[in-house]
Amino acid sequence: MSQMILTNRDIKTIYFCPKKARYEIQNSNGPNLPQDIKTFSTDAFGCLLVVIPDEIVSRSPYVLKIKKTGKKLSDYHFLEAAFIGYVLESCGQEVGSIIFESEHYSTSVNWRPYVTRMLSLLSYFCTETDYKVSKTHLCRLCPFVEKCFHEARAIESIDFLHGLRGKTAEKLRKIGIDSIKDLLNQRDRLIEHFGPERTRKLIAHARSVIENRPVLFAQPPQLENGIFLDIESYTPTDFDYLFGVLSDGTYIPFLARDQNEEVRAFRNVLEFIDQTSGPVYHFHQYEVQRFKKLAKRYGIDIPKEFFKRFVDVYKLYADHVALPVPSYSLKVLARYFGFQWRNDINGRTVIDTYARYMSTGDEDILNAILVYNEDDVRATELLVSKLREMCSTKELEVL
C-alpha cells in the first residue's frame, strides 16, 4: 500500500469529518504537489505531510501566504497553520510567519501553541480506520454522504434524520431516545417535550428510514405548471453570470459573459418571467435573495406580487414529506428518484470551475457549467413531478 499523503488543505475536512477526508484521499489521484516536495514535506504517523502554499513571500526565513474565503479565522485555521509550521521546521526550514488572507482579513497566525492538538488530530486520523459516523455541515455537498447514511441506518442512529440538528439530538438522548425505534415507541414522551407537530415530523422521518419509503405527513398545496429557475454566481466578485430557466421542457440560459453584462442578463430573465404564467419553481431561497439584491443594485422596481409566484421546492419537501435520505439537498433528493447529473460539478466546485473559465477562456469549461445548470433545473422539475405523483397516489398518513 502506498504512503498516504496529507496536505494542509486536508486539515479542515479531517477536523470536521475524518471519515469524509479518508474517502476523499482514497478516491483521488493525489494532490498537486509542489515541485520541490522535499522543501515542504515530512513523515509522521506513517503518512507524508506536505505543505502547499498559495504564495511564498520570502524564503529566508520562510514567509508563506495561504488564501482563504471566509470572513474570520476559525479553530481549524490555527491547526492548519500549526501543520504548516511543523512541517517546515521538521525538514530544517526557518519559519518567519504564516499569513492567512481573505478579502476580509490578512493575519499572521500564532501557530506554535496548536502543534500538540494538530499532532493529536493527525495521529488519530492516520492510525484509525473506523471513524464514527456523524452528521456535519459538510454532508450537504459530500459525494459520500449516502455511504454514511446507510451505516447510520444499519445501526438505527437518529443522527441523519432530516431536520434533527445537534441540539435536538442531544435533547432526545437526554430523555432516553437513542435510536430510530425509540422514536417510534415513545410518542407520548416526544409530544411532552416537542409538541404534536414536531413529533409528527420526527415520527414520519423515523418511519421513512425504517420502512425505506416516502411518508407524506402534511398535505402539499396544488402544484400548477410553471417554469424552473436556477442561478449560478461567482461569489468572490458577487457576480451572477447565469440565470438558467426551464420552460415547457426547453432549457434557456440567460448568460452574462462579464460583469458589465449582468444587468442585461438580469433584465432579460425578468422580462421572460413576466411573459409567462404560473409558479416559478426554485430550490432554496437563493434565487429570491439574488433577485432582490440585483434589483436594488440596478435600481429596478420589482412589485411584491412578482415574488408571490416563486415556490421553494426544498420547502415543499421539508414541510410535507419524509424521505429515507441523508439530507434534503437538491442532488440527494433528485438522485433518490433516479436523476443523474451529466458531470461532476456541484455547488462547492462550480466557483472554482468558473474561475478556470475566466482565466483560460475555454468555452468547453463554460459549456460544462451550462450542462450542470440545466441538470439542476431539470432535477427541480423532477422533484415537483414526483411530489405531484405522491399526492395523487398516497393518502396523508395518520402519524
Side-chain angles (χ1 to χ4, degrees):
M1 182 181 294
S2 59
Q3 187 179 32
M4 184 162 60
I5 299 174
L6 304 179
T7 78
N8 53 294
R9 297 173 183 177
D10 295 316
I11 294 298
K12 176 181 178 180
T13 309
I14 294 172
Y15 175 83
F16 285 110
C17 183
K19 200 174 190 72
K20 180 178 188 292
R22 176 74 70 165
Y23 280 142
E24 286 182 339
I25 292 169
Q26 290 174 340
N27 287 273
S28 73
N29 294 322
N32 294 318
L33 299 177
Q35 291 183 347
D36 189 0
I37 189 174
K38 293 182 180 178
T39 302
F40 302 108
S41 68
T42 190
D43 292 295
F45 312 112
C47 298
L48 181 66
L49 312 184
V50 180
V51 170
I52 304 179
D54 293 301
E55 182 181 342
I56 301 174
V57 180
S58 68
R59 295 178 181 269
S60 185
Y62 269 101
V63 176
L64 304 184
K65 188 173 288 187
I66 309 296
K67 298 294 181 65
K68 296 297 177 183
T69 58
K71 293 185 178 181
K72 62 181 180 179
L73 291 175
S74 299
D75 189 45
Y76 67 86
H77 288 122
F78 293 93
L79 297 178
E80 181 181 351
F83 178 101
I84 295 167
Y86 173 81
V87 170
L88 264 66
E89 287 197 343
S90 295
C91 54
Q93 305 299 332
E94 182 183 357
V95 181
S97 59
I98 300 168
I99 300 168
F100 279 31
E101 185 175 272
S102 79
E103 60 178 298
H104 302 284
Y105 61 81
S106 181
T107 304
S108 179
V109 178
N110 180 17
W111 54 272
R112 294 186 186 278
Y114 296 87
V115 171
T116 300
R117 275 186 61 199
M118 181 275 299
L119 291 175
S120 177
L121 179 72
L122 291 187
S123 174
Y124 168 71
F125 179 73
C126 293
T127 58
E128 294 290 331
T129 56
D130 188 19
Y131 310 110
K132 180 183 176 182
V133 176
S134 61
K135 190 172 184 178
T136 75
H137 69 285
L138 302 180
C139 294
R140 190 173 68 87
L141 295 175
C142 179
F144 312 106
V145 68
E146 284 88 354
K147 291 184 179 182
C148 293
F149 175 68
H150 291 311
E151 287 186 36
R153 184 166 64 181
I155 61 175
E156 298 180 357
S157 169
I158 62 175
D159 290 328
F160 276 84
L161 293 182
H162 177 70
L164 201 158
R165 301 185 184 278
K167 289 185 178 179
T168 305
E170 183 180 335
K171 186 175 180 180
L172 286 170
R173 290 189 170 99
K174 282 184 178 179
I175 62 174
I177 297 176
D178 296 308
S179 70
I180 292 175
K181 284 187 177 176
D182 289 340
L183 274 174
L184 298 175
N185 294 331
Q186 300 193 44
R187 180 187 180 90
D188 291 343
R189 181 173 288 187
L190 287 171
I191 292 174
E192 177 185 348
H193 289 274
F194 295 96
E197 289 304 312
R198 182 74 175 122
T199 296
R200 182 182 180 85
K201 291 184 71 172
L202 287 170
I203 290 176
H205 283 284
R207 279 181 52 179
S208 175
V209 171
I210 286 288
E211 299 171 12
N212 194 29
R213 66 180 180 87
V215 174
L216 194 66
F217 60 83
Q219 187 64 49
Q222 184 175 353
L223 302 177
E224 301 175 358
N225 292 331
I227 64 174
F228 302 85
L229 172 68
D230 185 72
I231 298 175
E232 304 299 340
S233 307
Y234 185 63
T235 53
T237 57
D238 198 26
F239 172 32
D240 298 317
Y241 62 89
L242 175 59
F243 304 84
V245 173
L246 187 69
S247 178
D248 292 327
T250 300
Y251 173 66
I252 307 167
F254 295 87
L255 179 66
R257 289 190 170 271
D258 58 50
Q259 288 194 258
N260 293 326
E261 292 189 358
E262 182 182 59
V263 63
R264 174 196 56 76
F266 181 50
R267 287 185 183 277
N268 286 346
V269 75
L270 285 176
E271 182 180 352
F272 180 86
I273 292 173
D274 276 336
Q275 293 172 353
T276 66
S277 60
V280 179
Y281 292 106
H282 56 98
F283 199 86
H284 267 308
Q285 284 298 308
Y286 187 73
E287 280 66 30
V288 172
Q289 294 167 0
R290 295 310 299 175
F291 268 48
K292 289 181 178 179
K293 188 167 186 175
L294 288 168
K296 184 177 181 180
R297 177 181 296 170
Y298 295 114
I300 299 172
D301 182 31
I302 300 179
K304 291 182 179 179
E305 291 74 19
F306 177 84
F307 291 107
K308 291 180 180 179
R309 294 178 56 190
F310 281 59
V311 177
D312 182 357
V313 177
Y314 163 79
K315 189 168 176 56
L316 285 175
Y317 272 79
D319 290 349
H320 301 94
V321 60
L323 290 171
V325 293
S327 79
Y328 273 38
S329 71
L330 176 61
K331 281 206 168 183
V332 169
L333 287 177
R335 281 175 174 160
Y336 174 78
F337 292 111
F339 189 88
Q340 294 297 323
W341 272 254
R342 287 172 286 173
N343 59 38
D344 294 329
I345 299 175
N346 59 43
R348 178 174 52 85
T349 63
V350 67
I351 294 172
D352 291 338
T353 304
Y354 188 75
R356 290 202 308 275
Y357 166 69
M358 288 193 299
S359 65
T360 65
D362 186 342
E363 289 294 310
D364 288 340
I365 296 176
L366 181 60
N367 288 335
I369 294 174
L370 289 169
V371 167
Y372 160 70
N373 180 260
E374 179 180 351
D375 284 349
D376 273 1
V377 288
R378 291 193 182 278
T380 307
E381 179 190 40
L382 175 68
L383 292 183
V384 172
S385 174
K386 290 297 181 180
L387 191 54
R388 280 200 194 103
E389 288 179 17
M390 279 187 270
C391 293
S392 63
T393 60
K394 291 176 65 67
E395 294 183 0
L396 186 65
E397 301 200 30
V398 179
L399 301 171

